[in-house]
Amino acid sequence: MTSIAVIGCGKIGEALVAGLTAAGVDPANVTVSNRREERSAELTERYGVTAVTDNSEAATGAEIVFLCVKPDKTLAVAEEIAETVNDNEPTSTVASMAAGVTLGALEAAMGAGAAVVRVMPNTPMTVGKGVSAIAAGRYVDDEAADAVAELLSSVGDVVRVAESDMDAVTALAGSAPAYLFLVAEALVDAGVSLGLRREVATQLAAGSVAGAGAMLEQEGADPADLRAAVSSPAGTTVAALRQLEESGLRGMFFRATEACARRSAELGAVDEEDEGSGEE
Ligand SMILES: NC(=O)c1ccc[n+]([C@@H]2O[C@H](COP(=O)([O-])OP(=O)(O)OC[C@H]3O[C@@H](n4cnc5c(N)ncnc54)[C@H](OP(=O)(O)O)[C@@H]3O)[C@@H](O)[C@H]2O)c1
């Protein structure tokens, strides 16, 4: 079984560990590293994984090293573990989950010939329902890219994309659960405004979002067809949909995703400038 290191086990690192261990990955093959010992202890207790506070120790002997620290820390951590990773036998693949940070910058930080993959996941992988996009660097062979994809497929769908698509992917996958949670939250408030008790409104809103998601997962499902199927002529649903369209819902998503993709590109540009100037 593949040995895995997860460096920086915050929200996305923990989502990965939770999803993998729930999917049957043996915790004995997973090492996580964090700066704080109490966080490490918490992760060991929760998932049975080995937890350390030294990133290079975590990366020692790992076949796949997931970098799950914030984008502004990713290149520094890559440099920190580079020697260990390059000495590993068999060779490790480093899978960065950082928004914006480019393959070129990661390869430069890791040293010539390093096998680096960019992954843009999302937190539903906690419950095995994530969607991850992968773009492999130039030193990653098919076998190594397949190994990362196979591991991630145990916690949800995996899509291969060109690196140039990664900022758009961040807007459609990495950040999208938050938009949908906001929609659910707004529905709850709307239900309360209509006179429902908050717990009833929460149950109805969460159930509707989850149920719609399950329908979308069915083979051949198309969102436009599904929406049309619940829109009777002159009925209640079209009355609501008309309000959403007149309030500019589609335009809001165009603008929101553009802002997200722009921010992802900015995060990468900042890291590359820092790398060039040698700043910490
Ligand atoms: N959250 C998402 O939904 C999501 C989705 C897609 C991609 N991502 C990407 O995932 C990455 C992590 O995001 P996140 O939301 O999980 O952030 P987070 O919750 O802040 O987790 C980052 C973790 O890294 C630890 N850390 C910081 N510096 C470290 C170091 N030098 N060595 C080892 N560990 C260190 C932090 O520990 P401390 O608590 O000690 O600071 C924290 O536990 C980002 O690059 C982000 O772009 C996130």
Side-chain angles (χ1 to χ4, degrees):
M1 199 177 246
T2 311
S3 57
I4 302 154
V6 180
I7 312 254
C9 216
K11 285 180 281 299
I12 207 74
E14 181 167 359
L16 177 65
V17 170
L20 290 176
T21 51
V25 168
D26 185 348
N29 290 317
V30 181
T31 303
V32 305
S33 76
N34 270 289
R35 291 189 294 195
R36 289 172 299 116
E37 265 177 39
E38 61 274 24
R39 174 69 177 151
S40 296
E42 192 175 85
L43 293 164
T44 300
E45 191 183 323
R46 212 170 278 166
Y47 305 104
V49 295
T50 304
V52 298
T53 51
D54 182 316
N55 295 332
S56 295
E57 184 185 344
T60 303
E63 285 157 78
I64 302 177
V65 179
F66 287 99
L67 291 187
C68 302
V69 295
K70 288 286 189 196
D72 64 346
K73 300 203 167 66
T74 298
L75 293 180
V77 170
E79 278 175 11
E80 183 188 333
I81 62 167
E83 196 179 330
T84 306
V85 165
N86 294 333
D87 286 349
N88 275 342
E89 275 298 336
T91 324
S92 308
T93 305
V94 172
S96 165
M97 296 197 158
V101 182
T102 63
L103 286 168
L106 287 157
E107 285 164 354
M110 292 296 305
V116 180
V117 172
R118 263 180 84 177
V119 179
M120 181 44 61
N122 63 14
T123 53
M125 66 183 171
T126 311
V127 292
K129 298 263 181 197
V131 57
S132 299
I134 298 184
R138 59 194 145 152
Y139 304 114
V140 180
D141 60 25
D142 287 347
E143 199 185 331
D146 287 349
V148 175
E150 193 185 325
L151 196 61
L152 289 169
S153 70
S154 66
V155 293
D157 287 344
V158 178
V159 184
R160 304 268 183 120
V161 297
E163 184 181 26
S164 53
D165 285 337
M166 271 296 184
D167 295 326
V169 163
T170 304
L172 264 292
S175 300
Y179 320 151
L180 300 173
F181 294 137
L182 181 63
V183 167
E185 196 188 330
L187 273 176
V188 172
D189 284 341
V192 172
S193 168
L194 287 170
L196 295 174
R197 282 188 291 116
R198 185 160 287 275
E199 56 273 30
V200 172
T202 303
Q203 193 176 353
L204 294 175
S208 298
V209 172
M215 288 177 78
L216 275 170
E217 274 185 341
Q218 289 174 323
E219 205 175 327
D222 178 87
D225 292 342
L226 290 169
R227 180 180 51 74
V230 287
S231 306
S232 311
T236 53
T237 306
V238 284
L241 290 172
R242 178 178 170 165
Q243 289 296 325
L244 290 170
E245 295 286 14
E246 286 183 3
S247 302
L249 182 86
R250 280 174 208 264
M252 280 191 295
F253 277 106
F254 279 111
R255 288 190 296 279
T257 51
E258 280 162 12
C260 186
R262 200 164 46 238
R263 184 67 191 130
S264 170
E266 281 167 9
L267 290 173
V270 167
D271 269 349
E272 281 179 20
E273 276 166 28
D274 287 353
E275 185 73 353
S277 65
E279 286 169 22
E280 289 292 318

